[in-house]
Every structure is written in structure tokens, then in C-alpha cells.
Amino acid sequence: MSGKLLWGVLGTGRIVRKTIPALQATRNGEVAAIASRSKERAGEYAEMYGIPQSFGSYESMLASADIDAVYIALPNALHREWILKSLDAGKHVLCEKPLAMGVAECEEVGRKAAESGLKVLEGFMYRFHPRFERLRELLAANAVGSLTFIHVAHSFEAGSEDNIRWYAALGGGALFDTGCYCVNASRMITAQEPSQVAAFGNYRDANDGGRIDTSFAGMLRFPSGATALFDAGVNLERRNFLEITGTEGRLYLNNPFGILEEDSVLEEHHFGRDTVRHEVKGANHFVRMGEHFADSILEGTPLRYDLTDAANNARVLEALDMAARNQEVASGSLPSARLGLI
């Protein structure tokens, strides 16, 4: 392996317009190749972003000796298949969130990664932004006292009917597209796994049959007694905020999942006293995530988040999806037998 990690980008979805420039901006990586199901489309993106090689199939890129790691930017339901194929080809994997469409799929990826000795990271990029590093410092310093409530929202308008979010077979819908962020953030903030969930969804017919959720509201109850309330949507006005309330005050962060390369503010409130404004330097969280992943491979250091975390997030998503689809009014307990780690 060279002094830099050589990336191959698998897929040409809209997200790569953000992630390709970010991976190219990392200090320890280079984007060496891109693959699409269409050779013409792969060539178009290679020319657009100055990528040396393009491939007209995913398999042909994975067979290349010129890449060390794969960034997977495919629809949710295709993640498992192409993570496993990438690992079989000897490539490390950074995969867009959610890692896979359920606990069993995440555990399968975990076993394959362990057997191969290769690294896999679920791409929740927001976790690498300085805002969340500062947030965790404040929580560790007991800035809000005993954690009581978390309220988080993430919604936007997906747009035209050809958007992948309107297809059930591709893993579309609000919960697995935007709600997964809310669940992940709530688990990270509490440093616990929820013991109870309640959920409601608004559904429509998917473009390919079945039903998908256009908006979703969920509640998580943690063993400490803290409660997280979240709402997510793919047919709504853009909303993106995080509020953490405890017995001694609250923290508020606007646009927690946005890139925010400009400086931003984390607000700290205490019972009517003057607001404390924690100014945080801007950063591109995709760049920081890519650098962390490359460092882990090049230097042999552990990833900050392992596949146990991905499986536990999937477990909560599954429970929420089931609760909403069954139209459960009362909270339903997560089966304790399913809380084992990978």
C-alpha cells in the first residue's frame, strides 16, 4: 500500500457530489477510480472530478489492483451485497448509512470483516464534526446535569418520483434515510441502548409495490430513564436540529447533520441566565471521516466506531419499523434475546 489510501467510489448517486471532493481533499487519500452500471456515466463523473480510472461495472472496479478501499454510495438495500463483494475482493469499506437493512445483515458483514481482517465503517459522517466532539465534552462535564430528554429532527423534500427514496425494494422511506441519524445520535448521546420504543409512521404506496413511510415519529426510552423523541421525513420542509435537556439546563444545536464548513455555535442554556455560546470551528465532516478511516488502515489503529455499533443501530431501527407498521399505541419492549453484540 502506498503512503495514501487509494479509494474506489462505487456508485454515482447524488451523494457523491459531496463525498468525492471530500475524499480528494483528505491529506491521506486519493480517489483512484469510480464505477457505475453505465460506462458512459462512470466516464462522465471521472472527467468531472479528475478521477484517473472509470469502470462500467462494479465488479470490474473491485477486481482492480489499483484501489485499497471502496466507498459505497448505493441505495440502502444494496449495501450488504456490495460490502460483502468488496470484502471478498480484499478491499476495505466505507459505506453510506445505514450499513445494512437489518441486524442479521449487519452481523453477516461483521463476521465477514472479522474473517478477512479488513475494516468496515458505517458512514454516519456527522459524528466526526468538531460540533459533536464539543457536545460530548460538555456532556462529560455534566453541563446539563442528569440527562432527561433528547429531541432531534431531520427532514427534507426528496423531490421527483424517480428518487430512490420512493422505492421499497431499494430501502426507501423516512426512517431508514433520515430517522437513522436521529436514532444514532440519541444512542451516542446517552451512551446506552434503548430498552423500549414507540413509533408512528405516515405511509404511501411505493413506486415498486409495498408501502414506504414518508414521515416518521419515534420515541426511545433508555435504561437511565432518559427519553429521546425524534421525527423524520422525506416529503417535508427541511428541519434539522438537536436539543438535549437535563436537570441543570439544556444544549441546542442547529443543523447537526449539515456539513457546516463555516463556524457554528452550540448553545448552552441554564434557567433563564445568559446563554453560553460555544463557537466551533467549521469543518467538512466527510473529509474528517475519510481521514480517520484512512489513518486506521494506514497506521493500524482501531476505528472509532465498530460494527457492533452499526448492528445495535439497526436493531433499534427494526424495532421502530415494526412498532409503526403494527400501529402500536403503547411502547413495545425490545426483546432482550436480540440485544447481544456481534
Side-chain angles (χ1 to χ4, degrees):
M1 191 179 294
S2 69
K4 289 190 173 183
L5 191 72
L6 300 179
W7 289 95
V9 176
L10 206 161
T12 53
R14 187 178 303 175
I15 188 67
V16 303
R17 300 173 194 174
K18 296 179 181 179
T19 51
I20 289 175
L23 292 175
Q24 290 174 322
T26 57
R27 58 175 164 71
N28 52 5
E30 295 179 5
V31 179
I34 185 167
S36 173
R37 293 171 298 175
S38 161
K39 185 171 180 61
E40 291 73 24
R41 186 167 175 81
E44 175 188 336
Y45 272 69
E47 182 177 358
M48 186 186 308
Y49 293 104
I51 300 171
Q53 296 185 74
S54 61
F55 296 88
S57 73
Y58 305 149
E59 291 89 349
S60 57
M61 189 185 79
L62 294 181
S64 171
D66 296 331
I67 63 171
D68 307 314
V70 175
Y71 164 64
I72 296 178
L74 299 175
N76 296 340
L78 301 181
H79 289 176
R80 168 197 165 274
E81 175 186 357
W82 289 101
I83 294 172
L84 295 177
K85 287 182 176 180
S86 298
L87 294 174
D88 283 337
K91 314 300 184 186
H92 303 278
V93 178
L94 170 61
C95 183
E96 270 301 316
K97 57 73 204 166
L99 187 78
M101 294 299 294
V103 180
E105 290 188 1
C106 288
E107 290 177 340
E108 184 180 10
V109 168
R111 289 191 297 270
K112 174 68 76 172
E115 292 166 3
S116 65
L118 296 165
K119 299 200 173 185
V120 178
L121 177 65
E122 183 175 30
F124 279 114
M125 73 296 175
Y126 79 92
R127 300 183 291 193
F128 295 88
H129 198 283
R131 289 169 295 171
F132 275 86
E133 294 173 357
R134 183 62 178 136
L135 180 70
R136 295 177 77 171
E137 289 172 359
L138 290 169
L139 291 173
N142 206 34
V144 298
S146 297
L147 191 61
T148 307
F149 297 119
I150 299 167
H151 187 190
V152 56
H154 190 16
S155 61
F156 65 96
E157 171 57 62
S160 62
E161 282 295 308
D162 62 352
N163 193 293
I164 61 173
R165 294 171 179 86
W166 305 128
Y167 290 82
L170 295 179
L175 176 61
F176 284 90
D177 192 78
T178 59
C180 63
Y181 284 102
C182 304
V183 170
N184 191 264
S186 299
R187 293 177 47 254
M188 183 176 69
I189 290 164
T190 59
Q192 292 184 335
E193 300 302 332
S195 54
Q196 290 181 292
V197 304
F200 299 91
N202 294 306
Y203 293 87
R204 57 161 275 185
D205 291 335
N207 288 349
D208 54 355
R211 301 277 287 171
I212 53 172
D213 53 309
T214 58
S215 58
F216 197 97
M219 181 175 286
L220 313 176
R221 176 75 165 174
F222 293 89
S224 65
T227 301
L229 173 68
F230 75 89
D231 60 272
V234 290
N235 66 337
L236 302 174
E237 173 65 27
R238 182 171 292 276
R239 295 169 63 250
N240 191 341
F241 68 83
L242 170 65
E243 183 178 60
I244 302 169
T245 302
T247 55
E248 302 299 325
R250 66 184 176 93
L251 300 171
Y252 181 84
L253 184 60
N254 187 46
N255 197 17
F257 308 120
I259 294 178
L260 278 192
E261 293 180 276
E262 68 276 15
D263 295 351
S264 58
V265 173
L266 173 59
E267 298 178 7
E268 181 179 349
H269 300 266
H270 292 282
F271 299 99
R273 299 197 296 270
D274 288 345
T275 299
V276 180
R277 295 170 58 86
H278 301 275
E279 295 188 4
V280 182
K281 287 292 183 182
N284 185 313
H285 46 206
F286 287 113
V287 172
R288 289 168 63 92
M289 179 174 65
E291 289 181 342
H292 169 75
F293 187 73
D295 278 343
S296 179
I297 294 167
L298 296 171
E299 300 173 10
T301 53
L303 289 169
R304 192 180 301 176
Y305 303 98
D306 61 19
L307 293 176
T308 295
D309 181 78
N312 285 339
N313 210 65
R315 180 173 292 110
V316 181
L317 292 174
E318 280 191 340
L320 287 163
D321 187 51
M322 182 181 298
R325 289 184 185 274
N326 290 341
Q327 298 181 344
E328 293 181 356
V329 176
S331 298
S333 297
L334 284 170
S336 58
R338 297 180 60 199
L339 291 177
L341 304 182
I342 293 178

